[in-house]
Amino acid sequence: MTDLPALGVYVHWPYCARICPYCDFNVVRDRGKGEEQEALARAIVRDLTAQRALTGPRRLVSVFFGGGTPSLMDAAFVAAIIDTATELWSPEAGLEVSLEANPTDAEAGRFAGFAAAGVNRLSLGLQSLDDEALRFLGRNHDAAAAGRAAEKAAAIFPRLSLDLIYARPGQTAAAWRRELEAALELGPEHISPYQLTIEAGTAFNRAVGRGALTPTGEDLGAELFDTTQAVLEAHGFDAYEVSNHARGEAARSRHNLVYWRGEDYVGAGPGAHGRLTLEGRVATTAPKKIGDYIDGVGFEREVLNAREAAEERLLLGLRIDDGVGFGEVAALGLSPASVRHLVEAGLLADDPQRLRATRAGRLVLDRLTAELAT
Ligand SMILES: C[S@@+](CC[C@H](N)C(=O)[O-])C[C@H]1O[C@@H](n2cnc3c(N)ncnc32)[C@H](O)[C@@H]1O
Ligand code: SF4
């Protein structure tokens, strides 16, 4: 069983209590359509079963419920999906089962049900511990509720991760340091601090267009990034990826490592993507509309050519410490000699086997990958 190639499963649950002004994920307002949600859960089970026919036997290393807001799911749906995945593929010992949760009191009341269904890692979308910032971010919880939800999660789940959003307008490095330290006191083993990104099509993007919102400049963004690294390092968290910090190796997100190591994953749920190594590197995309997904129409499958697959492998691999082997991106024709100038510029580590970004390289990752891929 251990010889089987690794497989992760991503499940997308698209409903949210309200839509946040910065978010461009595939989401819809939850209008309490119980029948539709039940049909969606059934369609996800069907989709997983159909994809098993493609993948064959695999070693299941992770199941991840993302969204949207999976903490709004009926725990019975979560249980049915976990049971399906673990029947279809061979779960490894200590299988990681993560679920993204929003920290409202109502959702915290459902945590025990998720744990009973088999979830062992909660990823809590704290975003901030400052009430004004939470209002700015359009969240439906305040800092006190976030604290209560984190406390409850820490008591119920063996593993807790917190998401935070920084580089908010007007934020200072000193205030961000205090906020991060307060988040650490909630006892997570993993923290994902993301810089606020203004995404096309969001309310924040329209506000920027009207001049009502000024995004944080690059210099302050870089200062806040450095503050993040320093505070988390001082508390024993290693930055194993650009925006992901774990207290020790066992606390790293196995699911995210599937993506960054270029392993295979099945995506189920509206708009979910998957990557499978079959007759080549195959990209799967589920239809974005909930109705289409339930009706089983609009699923796409595309074989990436060698260059596309290598570019993707590079982009993801450079995000983690381990980087990516030269051999894994052979289609790009890179060699230790051809990247020498980037080593000398301090952006890549001096490693004859692997392409690995230095801390300075991670700060300009987009530019670095663009240069390597052309
Ligand atoms: C799928 S989302 C949300 C999960 C959950 N529904 C929530 O809101 O907490 C996963 C994470 O992406 C981050 N995120 C989403 N949009 C972002 C943006 N525009 N800029 C920075 N971080 C963002 C947030 O930290 C969020 O917790
Ligand atoms: S940030 Fe989370 S709660 Fe807000 S719209 Fe996006 S997925 Fe939904």
Side-chain angles (χ1 to χ4, degrees), residues 42-220:
R42 273 208 223 100
I44 290 172
V45 165
R46 254 193 334 266
D47 187 9
L48 291 176
T49 309
Q51 296 202 57
R52 169 64 173 77
L54 286 177
T55 65
R58 296 291 183 108
R59 178 170 47 95
L60 184 64
V61 300
S62 157
V63 179
F64 190 101
F65 291 86
T69 309
S71 49
L72 295 174
M73 278 175 91
D74 187 326
F77 300 161
V78 174
I81 292 168
I82 297 171
D83 290 350
T84 301
T86 53
E87 277 159 23
L88 292 170
W89 295 284
S90 312
E92 71 173 11
L95 170 71
E96 178 181 288
V97 183
S98 312
L99 182 136
E100 282 183 341
N102 288 28
T104 68
D105 289 323
E107 285 158 286
R110 314 157 70 97
F111 289 172
F114 296 138
V119 174
N120 53 27
R121 180 176 182 274
L122 200 80
S123 172
L124 196 59
L126 224 57
Q127 317 312 355
S128 172
L129 283 171
D130 176 296
D131 282 339
E132 205 184 310
L134 288 167
R135 274 194 297 277
F136 162 74
L137 292 170
R139 302 292 287 181
N140 63 348
H141 67 267
D142 59 14
R148 284 193 296 275
E151 211 169 283
K152 189 148 196 190
I156 291 179
F157 297 97
R159 303 177 61 190
L160 174 64
S161 176
L162 302 177
D163 281 358
L164 293 167
I165 295 184
Y166 70 100
R168 306 174 312 244
Q171 192 176 26
T172 64
W176 172 228
R177 172 181 289 272
R178 282 195 299 277
E179 200 174 337
L180 256 182
E181 284 172 345
L184 285 164
E185 278 178 24
L186 299 171
E189 61 162 25
H190 188 280
I191 295 202
S192 307
Y194 298 109
Q195 286 206 28
L196 176 62
T197 313
I198 306 297
E199 306 285 358
T202 60
F204 272 2
N205 194 44
R206 291 188 288 278
V208 170
R210 290 195 304 274
L213 175 63
T214 309
T216 300
E218 257 190 46
D219 288 351
L220 181 58

Side-chain angles (χ1 to χ4, degrees), residues 321-340:
D321 283 352
D322 262 5
V324 51
F326 280 96
E328 293 176 80
V329 292
L332 300 177
L334 298 168
S335 67
S338 75
V339 302
R340 192 75 223 155

Side-chain angles (χ1 to χ4, degrees), residues 50-51 54 276 278-279 282-285 298-303:
Q51 296 202 57
L54 286 177
L276 299 172
L278 303 171
E279 63 270 27
V282 174
T284 65
T285 312
F299 286 76
E300 287 171 18
R301 219 186 286 163
E302 181 203 354
V303 184

